[in-house]
RNA sequence: GGCGACAUAGCCAAGUGGUAAGGCAGCGGUCUGCAAAACCGCUAUCCCCGGUUCGAAUCCGGGUGUCGCCUCCA
């Protein structure tokens, strides 16, 4: 089997993977801030993390996957000013922060399930771990890595010499061009909040050694990551946008706290673009998975779409491409249905070769595009049916495209067909029986004008809404 | 203004020195009363210019363009 190599954000290199404890892997994934619905760009990050987990499992590792749910502390600006996104969201929707979090957490996991993303073994909410965050903050104060000012406790990056190495920040340059500081008490513009004091009207606050307040955003991942995975975490994943601020700060906190490097390997997925540019609410291209399904697309079509590109490449979403992914996926499902439980002929040497190429692809930094090419070879080329059935079920463990769930399904809804259409279909059936082809064709056109498609298959005639 | 990434067929996207994966669309064919589905086959010399090399999409330099982040402005 090809050795597993993964790209490390810190060194910007492919590294042979080797866990701290042989045979087991701890993975921490930065989860969502649950103040709104996840959009498909967010979801790409979780498809990526899921593929990582599945590839690790495919390689025989026992994986422990942890993901946080941010329900407090994430400010509307990365520079610690602005408002807590949860508080702002709660006001926007006239709900309590708890209600807001419950609602969007539920929606988030519903999306993950539809995308065949395995639920992490541990899902932890920030608000359930305030004592742990306070403990980390207290320790950082004791160690001299943090200081207290008027509005809270801040991490002192001058005490962490390698600060900036993850994102390769040029602190000198940044300092030279420093903007006007909102908080003049901070010793360095890049110092960040561990704990913020809150005035009595603030919606979310907890008791702490420093008075009532709430935790800074970054500290939750340090506290929960170490709680559930120990102070040597094999892999930490997240979107590439988290590198410069969130993860840079997390490294500083965690490593300063533990006295050594905590995260062994940082992995980040690139952004999803829409129509060649950034997703933005103002551009009306801020799609959710629900919107995709409302347009008649199967959620797994989006997963297929993601797998077709490498996780470290920007991926351009267009409706045309999604439609292409859906067509391809439907064809795969059709083939799977034919092969289900096939005990037909096998050629083991061919199986071994295809399996080897698939493994080499996914083990080379999660090369899903190449893996998909191998999949299509299994499906298309002259691979004996027994071998194809076997390989498909093996590959499914990594790809998660429902290739093991025969019989085939059609995506198009089989929903209500109007009586008018049903009557036309019946009339057409009589015309066909009478071999009155001109009438049958005319009826087909009438049915199509009403938005439905008739298909004559070996199993009979079917009607479906046109897409 | 600074930093970084990218530029491969109509669309999406692999490939990082040895002569262009895969999917969708399109075209041709088989099948079908017709159509659909399915299946088979076909379709690119890699943004431009220069350089290195026996050989470059792949390396170097210069352009152009796109995207992202930061900053500034507002």
């Amino acid at each position: 089997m090809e050795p597993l190599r993964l790209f490390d954000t810190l060194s910007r290199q492919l590294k042979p993977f080797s866990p701290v404890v042989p045979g087991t892997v701890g993975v921490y994934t930065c989860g969502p801030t649950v103040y709104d619905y996840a959009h498909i760009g967010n979801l790409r990050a979780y498809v990526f993390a899921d593929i990582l987990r599945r590839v690790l499992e495919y390689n025989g590792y026992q994986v422990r996957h942890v993901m946080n749910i941010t329900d407090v502390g994430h400010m509307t600006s990365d520079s610690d000013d602005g408002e807590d996104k949860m508080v702002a969201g709660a006001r926007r929707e006239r709900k309590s922060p708890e209600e807001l979090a419950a609602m969007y957490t539920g929606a988030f996991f519903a999306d993950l399930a539809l995308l065949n993303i395995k639920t992490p073994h541990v899902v932890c909410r920030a608000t359930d771990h305030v004592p742990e965050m306070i403990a980390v903050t207290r320790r950082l104060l004791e160690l001299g890595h943090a200081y207290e000012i008027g509005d809270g406790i801040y991490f002192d990056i001058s005490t962490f010499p390698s600060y900036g190495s993850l994102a390769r920040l040029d602190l000198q340059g940044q300092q030279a061009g420093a903007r006007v500081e909102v908080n003049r008490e901070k010793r360095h513009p890049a110092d960040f909040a561990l704990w913020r004091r809150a005035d009595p009207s603030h919606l979310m606050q907890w008791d702490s050694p420093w008075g009532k307040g709430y935790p800074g955003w970054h500290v939750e991942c340090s506290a929960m990551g170490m709680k559930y995975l120990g102070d040597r975490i094999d892999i930490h994943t997240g979107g590439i946008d988290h590198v410069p601020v969130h993860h840079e700060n997390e490294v500083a906190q965690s490593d300063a706290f533990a006295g050594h490097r905590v995260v062994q390997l940082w992995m980040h997925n690139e952004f999803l673009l829409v129509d060649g540019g950034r997703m933005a609410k103002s551009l009306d291209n801020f799609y959710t998975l629900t919107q995709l399904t409302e347009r008649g697309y199967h959620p797994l079509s989006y997963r297929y779409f993601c797998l077709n590109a490498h996780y470290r490449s920007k991926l351009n979403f267009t409706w045309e491409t999604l439609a292409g992914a859906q067509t391809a996926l439907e064809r795969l499902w059709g083939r799977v249905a034919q092969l289900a439980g096939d005990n037909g002929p096998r050629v083991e040497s061919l199986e071994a070769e295809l399996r080897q190429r698939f493994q080499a692809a996914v083990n080379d930094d999660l090369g899903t595009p190449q893996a998909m090419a191998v999949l299509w070879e299994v499906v298309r080329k002259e691979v004996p049916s027994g071998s194809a059935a076997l390989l498909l079920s093996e590959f499914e463990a990594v790809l998660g495209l429902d290739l093991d769930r025969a019989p085939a399904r059609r995506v198009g809804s089989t929903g209500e067909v109007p009586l008018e259409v049903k009557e036309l279909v019946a009339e057409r059936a009589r015309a066909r029986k009478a071999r009155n082809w001109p009438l049958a064709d005319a009826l087909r056109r009438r049915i199509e004008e009403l938005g439905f498609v008739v298909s004559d298959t070996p199993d009979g005639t079917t009607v479906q809404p046109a897409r």
Side-chain angles (χ1 to χ4, degrees):
Chain A
M1 190 149 176
E2 294 293 318
L4 175 61
R5 296 190 309 158
L6 298 171
F7 188 84
D8 170 37
T9 302
L10 181 63
S11 63
R12 314 279 156 106
Q13 285 179 332
L14 285 172
K15 293 255 184 104
F17 178 69
S18 137
V20 174
V21 178
T24 71
V25 185
V27 179
Y28 186 93
T29 293
C30 261
T33 300
V34 285
Y35 69 108
D36 202 347
Y37 290 109
H39 61 247
I40 55 176
N42 297 325
L43 292 172
R44 186 185 185 196
Y46 305 107
V47 172
F48 150 63
D50 184 60
I51 292 292
L52 172 65
R53 169 174 168 179
R54 287 167 178 267
V55 167
L56 288 166
E57 289 171 345
Y58 188 60
N59 278 267
Y61 291 110
Q62 174 91 40
V63 177
R64 179 170 165 85
H65 189 196
V66 176
M67 182 165 75
N68 64 292
I69 298 292
T70 299
D71 53 2
V72 65
H74 191 169
M75 310 306 279
T76 52
S77 158
D78 273 339
S79 54
D80 284 331
D81 53 315
E83 195 177 7
D84 188 307
K85 288 186 176 180
M86 293 302 297
V87 172
R91 193 183 56 238
R92 180 188 71 227
E93 304 197 8
R94 300 167 196 274
K95 290 183 160 73
S96 71
E98 292 75 19
E99 289 169 335
L100 190 79
M103 173 180 165
Y104 288 120
T105 301
F108 176 71
F109 282 105
D111 282 351
L112 295 198
L114 288 170
L115 288 169
N116 270 179
I117 292 169
K118 292 186 177 186
T119 304
H121 304 96
V122 177
V123 174
C124 42
R125 291 186 297 176
T127 51
D128 289 336
H129 297 78
V130 173
E132 285 87 344
M133 291 189 253
I134 288 174
V136 170
T137 302
R138 191 202 306 255
R139 179 76 180 141
L140 289 172
L141 274 169
E142 288 167 7
L143 291 168
H145 285 294
Y147 56 89
E148 182 169 1
I149 57 177
D151 70 352
I153 312 297
Y154 284 78
F155 187 90
D156 183 349
I157 65 164
S158 71
T159 68
F160 193 76
S162 64
Y163 187 84
S165 56
L166 186 69
R168 315 217 157 158
L169 300 176
D170 177 4
L171 289 177
Q172 300 303 321
Q174 288 200 336
Q175 202 165 12
R179 57 178 175 243
V180 177
E181 259 310 311
V182 173
N183 187 338
R184 293 173 186 280
E185 287 186 84
K186 278 163 66 171
R187 295 177 189 169
H188 184 105
D191 287 351
F192 55 91
L194 296 167
W195 187 264
R196 313 232 341 180
R197 291 199 176 88
D199 64 60
S201 69
H202 197 86
L203 283 175
M204 288 188 284
Q205 48 183 296
W206 290 261
D207 285 320
S208 83
W210 318 286
K212 293 215 176 231
Y214 57 97
W217 173 37
H218 316 295
V219 73
E220 69 173 69
C221 288
S222 292
M224 295 191 284
M226 286 191 277
K227 172 170 181 174
Y228 293 108
L229 293 170
D231 64 2
R232 293 183 197 275
I233 297 171
D234 292 302
I235 304 176
H236 193 308
T237 76
I240 196 164
D241 54 322
H242 283 153
V243 174
V245 176
H246 184 49
H247 289 164
E248 196 67 66
N249 292 349
E250 193 182 324
V251 168
Q253 283 168 345
S254 296
D255 292 10
F257 174 89
H260 60 255
R261 184 164 164 187
V262 171
V263 171
Q264 308 301 308
L265 180 67
W266 286 94
M267 294 181 72
H268 296 93
N269 63 283
E270 252 293 355
F271 260 85
L272 181 80
L273 306 179
V274 170
D275 295 328
R278 184 167 167 69
M279 237 186 294
K281 284 183 176 169
S282 60
L283 295 174
D284 195 29
N285 61 4
F286 208 79
Y287 305 126
T288 63
L289 194 62
T290 300
Q291 286 175 298
L292 265 51
T293 57
E294 283 170 357
R295 288 215 196 184
Y297 294 98
H298 189 108
L300 290 178
S301 298
Y302 179 67
R303 183 177 173 103
Y304 183 102
F305 164 81
C306 289
L307 264 43
N308 216 28
H310 189 81
Y311 76 92
R312 280 193 289 119
S313 296
K314 291 184 182 71
L315 175 57
N316 188 23
F317 176 89
T318 64
W319 290 105
E320 183 186 358
T321 307
L322 184 64
Q326 176 134 313
T327 302
L329 184 56
E330 286 180 339
R331 285 191 182 148
L332 281 178
W333 284 341
R335 181 71 173 133
V336 163
Q338 291 173 3
L339 291 170
D342 194 304
N343 294 311
R346 294 178 50 190
V347 175
E348 293 190 10
S349 59
L350 183 59
E351 286 171 21
E353 186 228 317
L354 290 162
R355 179 183 295 117
Q356 192 282 132
R357 285 170 51 209
F358 182 86
Q359 290 175 343
V362 297
N363 276 5
D364 182 15
D365 196 30
L366 315 183
T368 52
Q370 297 93 327
M372 294 297 283
V374 177
L375 175 69
W376 277 101
E377 235 178 281
V378 169
V379 165
R380 285 240 192 265
K381 296 289 167 56
E382 291 136 15
V383 177
S385 58
S387 294
L390 183 73
L391 290 171
L392 238 39
S393 70
E394 278 183 34
F395 296 174
E396 164 64 15
V398 173
L399 302 174
L401 290 170
D402 277 5
L403 301 180
D404 54 350
R405 294 191 204 167
R409 66 245 343 252
R410 290 269 142 241
V411 167
S413 139
T414 52
E416 289 307 297
V417 177
L419 188 59
E420 182 186 6
V421 173
K422 283 182 179 163
E423 285 172 351
L424 287 171
V425 171
E427 196 181 335
R428 177 170 171 276
R430 286 191 292 276
R432 292 186 70 218
K433 196 161 187 179
R435 307 186 74 81
N436 184 346
W437 309 130
L439 177 59
D441 291 347
L443 288 166
R444 172 196 292 284
R445 279 193 298 277
R446 292 257 308 274
I447 294 165
E448 285 171 350
E449 282 164 10
L450 292 168
F452 288 83
V453 176
V454 222
S455 303
D456 305 318
T457 75
D459 300 326
T461 299
T462 67
V463 201
Q464 290 194 320
R467 255 198 287 130

